[in-house]
Amino acid sequence: QVRLVESGGGLVQAGGSLRLSCTASGSIFSINTMGWYRQTPGKQRDLVAGITSRFSTNYADSVKGRFTIARDNAKNTVYLQMNSLKPEDTAVYYCYIDPGNSGSRSWGQGTQVTVSS
């Protein structure tokens, strides 16, 4: 079983920046993928960015060039640096981990990001 603890959400003006963090603990194999999804009320949860333990990354088109995902394997922590934030980035952001060895995906509790215009 894997536990994820997120931090770093909040309220920011358009054009501002926020940094999200998520630390995983529990049964995690060295080869795994971590990342972030986001969700607004009444809509599906969409991938924002993911990063493998070998540092391969992927991003949603809507955040490319503005968001950067990074990780610290020694700390089992993933970060999402969000720059040039827009009101449409407002959502609950959920951290996830695919822990490796065919383990099932785990989710964090979610952190609210609100971007005011």
Side-chain angles (χ1 to χ4, degrees), residues 38 47-49 58-66 86:
R38 65 187 181 188
L47 177 69
V48 176
N58 64 296
Y59 294 91
D61 288 342
S62 59
V63 306
K64 285 179 180 176
R66 300 187 299 121
K86 304 175 181 180

Side-chain angles (χ1 to χ4, degrees), residues 13 17 24 29 36 49 68 76 80 82 85 89 91 95 100 103 110 113:
Q13 288 188 333
S17 298
F29 290 86
W36 299 89
T68 302
N76 286 323
L80 186 68
M82 304 185 294
L85 282 161
D89 295 317
C95 175
V113 171

Side-chain angles (χ1 to χ4, degrees), residues 6-113:
E6 304 164 354
S7 62
L11 173 65
V12 65
Q13 288 188 333
S17 298
L18 282 174
R19 187 193 195 211
L20 306 182
S21 300
C22 173
T23 298
S25 60
S27 299
I28 303 166
F29 290 86
S30 59
I31 299 175
N32 60 74
T33 300
M34 299 182 73
W36 299 89
Y37 277 68
R38 65 187 181 188
Q39 188 172 26
T40 54
K43 295 190 176 180
Q44 68 179 22
R45 194 173 293 188
D46 292 325
L47 177 69
V48 176
I51 184 168
T52 71
S53 49
R54 294 174 178 173
F55 305 105
S56 176
T57 60
N58 64 296
Y59 294 91
D61 288 342
S62 59
V63 306
K64 285 179 180 176
R66 300 187 299 121
F67 291 11
T68 302
I69 191 168
R71 64 184 290 165
D72 183 332
N73 285 341
K75 297 180 179 179
N76 286 323
T77 298
V78 64
Y79 307 95
L80 186 68
Q81 178 66 43
M82 304 185 294
N83 298 330
S84 301
L85 282 161
K86 304 175 181 180
E88 51 263 44
D89 295 317
T90 296
V92 178
Y93 284 69
Y94 293 92
C95 175
Y96 76 91
I97 183 170
D98 295 327
N101 200 33
S102 301
S104 58
R105 176 170 290 184
S106 293
W107 295 93
Q109 78 280 7
T111 186
Q112 177 69 47
V113 171

